[in-house]
Amino acid sequence: MQLENLYYFKTELDTEGILFSFSGPLSQKLLLEMGDTLRNKLTLEKATPSLTLKVFSMLVEQTQNIIHYSAEKRTPFHSKEAVSEGIIVVGYENGRYYVLCGNRIYNERVNRITNQLTKLQKMDKDELKDYYKEQRRKGPYADSQGAGLGFIEMARRSATPIEFNFQKVDDRFSFFSLKTSV
Amino acid sequence: MENLKIKATRYTPEISFNAETNVLELKGECYPENIAEFSDPLFSWLEEYLSVLGNQAVIVNVDLNYFNSSTSKMLLNFFDRLEAEVANGKNISVNWIYEPENDSAEEYGEEFQEDLESLSFNLVTKEE
């Protein structure tokens, strides 16, 4: 990138209402630092403690989703902390905070995630609550590394229906992106 | 038996499980990358504790300002385990403690309450 372009890049982010963004290797350690900084920033913006926690919660679920499921997840031999490539964005538009996340996934996972998220999009808040409780009672999916509740949690807490998209990168990968708001 | 004491980190709560006073406490925030790594020692301790527990009253204080979705699953397993002991005649009650303005914590507490039958599960707000 040309040095002069950095200003335009930053102006573009500001115009979109983006108050925080990170693209590159994500880890639990980085999440701790991002989370603290975001909470301080929101407190300065006079968000209530409850709203601040809700935005923070979206940041945690989405970042941990990248950490667990990015197709570009690697663990250095000298460390036990994984590094997963992805992008995370927090912004403000139309009176709401939004959180966006994106990462590469293997093409064979596209259908399953699409079905799962489409199902959540069609549910109202009561149905989401029942589904959440039902899934919490069940064990996680075989390839799930958390409790498999992340997407349902995001859908439940989002003020607008969860949005998602896939863009094909090549024969192996697609880029998965997701948006929620609070 | 030994008490279980674990200091809080930035993403795991302080644990104080006391086998003499029969007060079990979790306090702080919980969003580790791998919940099992954190919770396995808690469940191991709990199993040993329940195996020697008589009919003394046990108080479990859960004061978690924030926890992630995999912790929510772990908490349900924890409460289910306690509820199973209540069915065996044990005297266990849980206090779900939260700040009055933390509406998410209140809602989570209500949902655990709905999912539990015989375990006494109280919602307790902190003093302002």
Side-chain angles (χ1 to χ4, degrees), chain A residues 7 21-22 36 51 57 116 125 178:
Chain A
Y7 172 69
S21 66
F22 179 87
D36 276 0
L51 180 60
S57 162
Q116 210 180 342
K125 292 290 177 205
L178 182 137

Side-chain angles (χ1 to χ4, degrees), chain A residues 54 58 62 96-99 125 128 151-163 178-182:
Chain A
K54 284 179 181 131
M58 288 291 185
Q62 295 196 17
R96 286 199 172 103
Y97 289 97
Y98 61 87
V99 182
K125 292 290 177 205
L128 283 166
F151 285 151
I152 316 175
E153 176 71 30
M154 292 176 213
R156 286 194 68 189
R157 303 291 156 192
S158 184
T160 48
I162 200 165
E163 292 173 55
L178 182 137
K179 182 178 185 179
T180 58
S181 67
V182 282

Side-chain angles (χ1 to χ4, degrees), chain A residues 17-180:
Chain A
I18 291 166
L19 43 113
F20 183 93
S21 66
F22 179 87
S23 171
L26 283 155
S27 63
Q28 173 75 13
K29 267 192 202 131
L30 187 54
L31 169 60
L32 293 177
E33 302 300 339
M34 293 195 308
D36 276 0
T37 307
L38 180 71
R39 282 156 102 164
N40 289 338
K41 166 86 177 162
L42 292 175
T43 305
L44 286 171
E45 292 201 349
K46 308 259 186 286
T48 62
S50 162
L51 180 60
T52 300
L53 260 185
K54 284 179 181 131
V55 180
F56 171 70
S57 162
M58 288 291 185
L59 178 81
V60 172
E61 292 297 335
Q62 295 196 17
T63 305
Q64 291 187 330
N65 191 66
I66 296 172
I67 294 172
H68 287 145
Y69 302 115
S70 171
E72 297 169 287
K73 174 181 179 171
R74 284 166 299 168
T75 308
F77 71 93
H78 61 272
S79 162
K80 60 175 202 160
E81 197 180 58
V83 162
S84 303
E85 302 290 328
I87 179 166
I88 188 105
V89 174
V90 181
Y92 188 80
E93 68 186 2
N94 308 324
R96 286 199 172 103
Y97 289 97
Y98 61 87
V99 182
L100 288 169
C101 64
N103 58 273
R104 283 187 178 200
I105 60 154
Y106 291 105
N107 285 330
E108 53 266 30
R109 298 196 62 223
V110 172
N111 278 341
R112 208 182 92 191
I113 300 174
T114 303
N115 292 341
Q116 210 180 342
L117 290 173
T118 309
K119 186 172 167 182
L120 297 178
Q121 279 178 331
K122 289 179 186 150
M123 293 184 185
D124 64 25
K125 292 290 177 205
D126 286 341
E127 289 167 328
L128 283 166
K129 177 183 168 180
D130 291 344
Y131 186 58
Y132 176 84
K133 286 175 141 199
E134 184 189 313
Q135 292 301 312
R136 188 167 65 174
R137 277 261 167 240
K138 285 187 189 168
Y141 295 112
D143 67 345
S144 175
Q145 295 179 42
L149 294 171
F151 285 151
I152 316 175
E153 176 71 30
M154 292 176 213
R156 286 194 68 189
R157 303 291 156 192
S158 184
T160 48
I162 200 165
E163 292 173 55
F164 69 98
N165 189 246
F166 290 100
Q167 275 136 305
K168 194 159 181 189
V169 177
D170 57 30
D171 287 346
R172 287 182 73 201
F173 300 112
S174 290
F175 186 77
F176 166 57
S177 47
L178 182 137
K179 182 178 185 179
T180 58

Side-chain angles (χ1 to χ4, degrees), chain B residues 3-5 15-26 45 49 53 56-62 78 93 95 97:
Chain B
N3 296 329
L4 182 70
K5 274 259 183 205
I15 301 297
S16 171
F17 288 0
N18 192 317
E20 288 142 39
T21 59
N22 299 304
V23 176
L24 279 48
E25 290 184 309
L26 299 91
W45 186 93
Y49 174 67
L53 178 69
Q56 311 93 304
V58 178
I59 306 282
V60 181
N61 291 322
V62 185
F78 184 71
S93 60
N95 293 318
I97 304 161

Side-chain angles (χ1 to χ4, degrees), chain B residues 75-87:
Chain B
L75 288 171
L76 183 67
N77 292 343
F78 184 71
F79 298 143
D80 278 350
R81 188 64 194 86
L82 299 176
E83 184 157 82
E85 289 303 310
V86 172

